[in-house]
């Protein structure tokens, strides 16, 4: 009734994904978890074992009282294949090699002199070469590269429609990166890539719904609902930075006023701190140092920003009700200044039981964005 | 490999749902639409035809050049079964009988003297009896009743956890309504019921994602993402009324300030209109009449309220990116006063392509809530 290919392929993907993100798991546990028969799990696991992606661990448990056959859990062979992930910013490439479980094995940086496409691609080719040639046998077992870029990215075609920081328009990045690296490339928006990493290998594992909020130059958000990344019917989703929380607030680059980003984005913080201190040369780091030294006006700028972020996060909780929310990003290097105000703004604005949603607020190590890019290429393998 | 029952039941449900919401459709079109084989569609349709829910229309088209066999589209037999839907408010019951396609066949009202449970149940029993005894042969073909109640409702157990307007706490409404009516009862939150009606039989048909915003005493929102109603991991979702859009705005009953509902809910509008006119006895209808007569302060109250609703709707579009958004509710009896300001607030705050999301802004006929309740019982049949 169901053609063989239609019936088996989803089971193979489901078994692979579940062992990858939640394993090791016995076949019995997998069958229960996926609502499949044991026979279906065994059949789906077979090609994955033959290809070396899964292995049977030594039997550790029996399946039930008096059961004769010990259960051998299925586990991922993490070093079966490696994946390169690169985050492309306006002035830097950050690259990692990850294994199948998204553990970072090695990493490297390259400064960019300009976001010029040819220059970026040349540097990308050299960075990937450098990473794959490091000791660890990566080159022989790496076929895929994930690229993370901020802005409007069409993952299905690998086209960067618009990236403001890079000033790229309609760039067929996948095609060009495949030419220069010889790898199979997946291109994704950076916040979505980071959300995927957290969903598959971080705090979002097993969550039906989940949100990741990034705090930095912009304020972004990746949303998982019903186990799937929300991408938006009109190409826009997760734009927490442009929720309006103060109709009389400062003008935003989007054309409106009082957006979360117009109060809590890095530029907005610098602008407010300069005005509060009367020092037009103040940098973000100066503002952080002032606030940490107890300067009240600088502290108030971070308090207002944290409160705005918390209010935006409450809008996510009130509307979508994720199981949990992770707040991270390079802006959270100033974690100590933001955190209590993010929590206070969230608690005030979260409606009823929405306030029960756990918030994890934590800094983001610089490699995480690149690991997110690698995760997207792991996902592309699993889907293939 | 897949046990028969597991494999067939989802196909039957899928065929039933698709013909119900998008039919008539040929078997070939259904197979294409659902990613099933033609044989699977034929097998799934058979019991539905035998039970009289589906029928084959006369052949109207051929399946392809030279194809010998004409395609007979499958259609719903709308009068195969009828469904009662009742919206329960604090002072009124509104009831309808719908057919399988959620067309209202007849309707009736009952005033309630108090939201006392026994009184409501007695009136409910009489209302249902009155509806089923009307000409149309409803009684013999009605097995199900849907109830829509505002507040925190657990559809899976039929428990009303808390309904503020009715002042009900932990009421096992399904159980008690089944006893008094003899019908199989489904209980749902009223906004979710209305969203389901719009998703299955209204503007949301075929949309992967979709939002319904209700404007009235409260400002509510039902969200469909990935084809499923979002219910929130912590029991809260769609609370657009408690998105904070003005940190310095009026206090809200939820404990925060400047929520959409604190500016645009019916009570908030009355309060602001009274204060603007210096007339403490002013009603909502008075405020509407004043604004329509050109009174500038009263007009400004509706303008501010509409703008707040538009800003809240933009938060939905920015975060989730629904394919379309319907704005309705009894508050939109003052449609002419709200509409331009809802659109202006939305356009200002929607980020980039999120502004492309079509908004349908329209008044809500009083029977619609009850039709939503009936739709939930149709859904319960299909899932059964």
């Amino acid at each position: 009734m169901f053609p063989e290919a239609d019936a088996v392929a989803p089971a193979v993907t489901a078994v692979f994904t579940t062992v990858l993100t939640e394993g090791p798991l016995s076949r019995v546990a997998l069958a229960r978890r996926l609502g499949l028969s044991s026979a279906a799990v065994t059949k789906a696991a077979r090609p994955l074992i033959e290809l070396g992606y899964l292995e049977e661990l030594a039997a550790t448990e029996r399946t039930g009282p008096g059961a004769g056959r010990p259960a051998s859990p299925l586990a991922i062979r993490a070093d079966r294949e490696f994946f390169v992930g690169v985050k492309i910013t306006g002035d830097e490439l950050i690259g990692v090699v990850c294994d199948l479980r998204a553990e970072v094995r090695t990493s490297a940086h390259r400064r960019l002199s300009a976001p010029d496409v040819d220059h970026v691609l040349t540097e990308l080719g050299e960075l990937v070469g450098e990473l794959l040639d490091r000791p660890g046998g990566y080159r022989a077992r790496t076929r895929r590269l994930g690229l993370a870029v901020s802005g409007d990215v069409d993952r299905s075609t690998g086209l960067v429609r618009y990236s403001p920081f890079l000033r790229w328009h309609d760039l067929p990045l996948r095609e060009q990166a495949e030419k220069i690296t010889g790898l199979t490339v997946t291109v994704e928006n950076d916040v979505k890539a980071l959300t995927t990493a957290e969903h598959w290998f971080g705090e979002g594992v097993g969550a039906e719904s989940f949100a990741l909020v990034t705090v930095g130059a912009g304020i972004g958000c990746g949303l998982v609902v019903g186990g799937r990344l929300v991408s938006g019917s009109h190409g826009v989703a997760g734009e927490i930075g442009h929720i309006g929380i103060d109709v009389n607030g400062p003008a935003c680059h989007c054309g409106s006023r009082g957006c979360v980003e117009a109060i809590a984005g890095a530029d907005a913080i610098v602008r407010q701190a300069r005005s509060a201190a009367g020092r037009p040369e103040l940098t973000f780091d100066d503002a952080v140092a002032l606030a940490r030294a107890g300067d009240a006006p600088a502290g108030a700028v971070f308090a207002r920003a944290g409160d705005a972020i918390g209010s935006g996060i409450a809008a996510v909780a009130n509307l979508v009700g994720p199981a949990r929310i992770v707040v991270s990003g390079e802006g959270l290097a100033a974690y100590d200044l933001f955190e209590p105000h993010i929590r206070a703004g969230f608690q005030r604005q979260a409606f009823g039981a929405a306030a029960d949603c756990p918030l994890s607020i934590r800094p983001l190590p610089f490699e995480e964005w690149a690991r997110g890019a690698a995760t997207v290429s792991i996902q592309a393998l699993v889907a293939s």
Side-chain angles (χ1 to χ4, degrees), chain A:
Chain A
M1 185 170 146
F2 289 96
E4 182 83 353
D6 283 6
V8 176
V12 172
T13 304
V15 166
F16 195 7
T17 309
T18 307
V19 176
L20 182 61
T21 59
E22 301 177 34
L25 284 166
S26 70
R27 289 181 175 81
V28 173
L30 271 167
R32 208 181 303 127
R33 174 79 178 67
L34 297 172
L36 294 173
S37 66
S38 285
V41 169
T42 297
K43 189 164 177 178
R46 197 172 301 138
L48 294 167
I49 294 171
E50 279 165 10
L51 290 167
Y53 287 104
L54 297 191
E55 62 184 348
E56 290 186 87
L57 300 185
T60 51
E61 36 154 354
R62 294 185 170 262
T63 51
R69 224 176 113 201
S72 306
L74 290 171
I76 286 291
R77 281 188 55 203
D79 61 357
R80 166 64 178 82
E81 185 163 342
F82 297 108
F83 303 81
V84 184
V86 177
K87 161 81 183 254
I88 306 177
T89 74
D91 53 11
E92 194 180 24
L93 299 178
I94 306 161
V96 296
V97 175
C98 287
D99 64 24
L100 247 173
R101 285 192 51 81
E103 295 290 332
V104 173
R105 299 296 189 103
T106 187
S107 68
H109 290 220
R110 295 230 157 193
R111 303 295 307 173
L112 295 174
S113 53
D116 172 74
V117 177
D118 289 337
H119 172 60
V120 172
L121 285 167
T122 304
E123 294 291 323
L124 176 67
E126 291 180 10
L127 176 68
V128 170
E130 178 192 335
L131 284 166
L132 294 182
D133 284 338
R134 288 190 178 170
Y138 305 130
R139 186 173 289 278
R141 277 185 272 168
T142 302
R143 297 179 296 155
R144 289 176 183 271
L145 164 65
L147 297 175
V149 179
S150 71
D152 185 358
V153 174
D154 184 345
R155 176 172 170 165
S156 67
T157 59
L159 187 76
V160 177
R161 286 208 204 88
Y162 177 49
S163 181
F165 296 119
L166 290 158
R167 279 168 268 150
W168 289 352
H169 286 272
D170 294 325
L171 176 71
L173 181 59
R174 180 174 75 191
E175 192 185 315
Q176 300 196 10
E178 290 192 339
K179 209 172 289 172
I180 218 147
T181 63
L183 300 172
T184 299
V185 173
T186 309
V187 184
E188 181 59 289
N189 165 274
D190 54 355
V191 176
K192 287 185 178 163
L194 205 55
T195 305
T196 300
E198 206 65 44
H199 185 218
W200 275 36
F201 300 106
E203 293 196 49
V205 170
E208 168 75 0
S209 61
F210 165 76
L212 175 81
V213 175
T214 59
V215 176
I219 316 286
C221 176
L223 265 177
V224 170
V225 176
R228 285 166 56 197
L229 196 67
V230 175
S231 55
S233 296
H234 303 277
V236 171
E239 287 292 350
I240 191 176
H242 298 283
I243 292 181
I245 59 152
D246 183 0
V247 279
N248 302 306
C252 183
H253 61 85
C254 76
S256 190
R257 345 191 105 258
C259 298
V260 172
E261 196 164 298
I263 298 166
D267 282 355
I269 287 175
V270 170
R271 201 184 52 245
Q272 293 168 89
R274 284 176 178 171
S275 146
R279 286 172 49 191
E281 85 300 347
L282 208 77
T283 65
F284 189 88
D285 291 344
D286 294 336
V288 170
L290 270 179
R292 283 192 180 141
D295 180 79
V301 169
F302 284 96
R304 187 184 179 201
D307 191 86
I309 295 167
S311 191
I313 293 171
V316 175
N318 289 351
L319 284 176
V320 178
R324 55 191 309 118
I325 300 177
V326 172
V327 188
S328 194
E330 57 277 16
L332 287 185
Y335 174 80
D336 52 318
L337 299 173
F338 277 122
E339 201 236 358
H341 306 288
I342 292 177
R343 292 197 186 277
F346 174 74
Q347 284 298 326
R348 189 191 61 247
Q349 200 59 51
F351 183 71
D356 297 344
C357 178
L359 294 192
S360 299
I361 305 178
R362 52 180 164 80
L364 190 72
F366 68 92
E367 288 166 346
E368 285 290 294
W369 291 104
R371 177 171 173 262
T375 304
V376 168
S377 71
I378 296 173
Q379 204 174 44
L381 167 73
V382 173
S384 74

